[in-house]
Amino acid sequence: KDTVAIGGLTLTNFTFAEVDSTSGLKNWGSMPFDGVLGLGFQSISRSPGLTVMQALVQSGELEKPVFGFYLTRDAPGELVFGGVDPSHVASEFTWVDVVREGWWAVTLDSVKLGSILSVSSTPMAIVDSGTSMIAGPQREVDAIIAMIGAQTVQGMYVVGCDAQLPTLGFVFGGRDFNLSMQDLTVD
């Protein structure tokens, strides 16, 4: 047990788990960070007791029982507990219900590759801030990969830096969330 401080929030006498082996985490040694703050539900936690988010909500320190991320390529990112930073909000929020607790599993209406392909056989997506990877059912991934001409390199799909590719869109709550190929590039 220890005191956990995140910005101006403090949890005293908090029980947390320590990872003593990362051998099962692919490419962990090459990642630009040295830890993970799990924001999933208690049902998937490896630590006894409350999760950090549950404890923050229970403590009454949060204005609202929410958290928000601001992620960008050209500036530091931001994680806000208890709300969002309005200076980083680009449009109206689209709220979708969590359909299976454990992971942040939400209804996925469809996945689109520009205007040339739309697949909708996967009814659910997991929104996970703990990974920068996108995964899906092999059949659907294969269709998308074939359309963009990607090659497999060390278990990842790769396209040339100069490739002109359509957006990859995920539809949640009837709204398209499109990622450009620059958004999907890992430097």
Side-chain angles (χ1 to χ4, degrees):
K1 295 189 178 209
D2 205 341
T3 298
V4 175
I6 304 170
L9 305 170
T10 304
L11 298 171
T12 56
N13 205 28
F14 185 76
T15 301
F16 63 95
E18 176 185 14
V19 174
D20 57 10
S21 173
T22 59
S23 62
L25 302 172
K26 187 175 183 177
N27 299 321
W28 180 262
S30 64
M31 298 296 175
F33 48 81
D34 62 3
V36 174
L37 172 64
L39 293 171
F41 291 89
Q42 179 59 40
S43 60
I44 62 168
S45 175
R46 302 272 179 160
S47 180
L50 300 175
T51 65
V52 169
M53 188 63 187
Q54 287 173 315
L56 286 170
V57 170
Q58 193 176 74
S59 75
E61 291 189 64
L62 301 182
E63 187 176 319
K64 297 178 183 173
V66 299
F67 58 87
F69 283 95
Y70 171 69
L71 304 173
T72 181
R73 182 177 296 272
D74 301 321
E78 183 177 80
L79 168 60
V80 177
F81 287 99
V84 296
D85 181 342
S87 68
H88 296 307
V89 177
S91 65
E92 294 295 317
F93 281 100
T94 297
W95 296 96
V96 293
D97 292 333
V98 172
V99 294
R100 191 177 80 205
E101 283 192 19
W103 303 98
W104 291 95
V106 297
T107 299
L108 175 64
D109 300 334
S110 65
V111 178
K112 297 179 180 180
L113 184 62
S115 61
I116 57 176
L117 177 69
S118 179
V119 291
S120 58
S121 62
T122 303
M124 181 175 31
I126 296 171
V127 183
D128 185 357
S129 62
T131 184
S132 59
M133 303 298 164
I134 297 174
Q138 194 64 50
R139 185 173 160 189
E140 293 181 20
V141 170
D142 287 346
I144 292 168
I145 294 309
M147 298 296 282
I148 64 173
Q151 304 296 315
T152 304
V153 177
Q154 296 180 345
M156 301 174 107
Y157 297 106
V158 178
V159 294
C161 294
D162 58 350
Q164 297 296 311
L165 301 169
T167 59
L168 180 63
F170 298 87
V171 183
F172 299 105
R175 181 172 172 198
D176 290 18
F177 293 87
N178 293 314
L179 301 172
S180 70
M181 285 302 142
Q182 181 183 9
D183 295 329
L184 298 170
T185 302
V186 177
D187 294 329

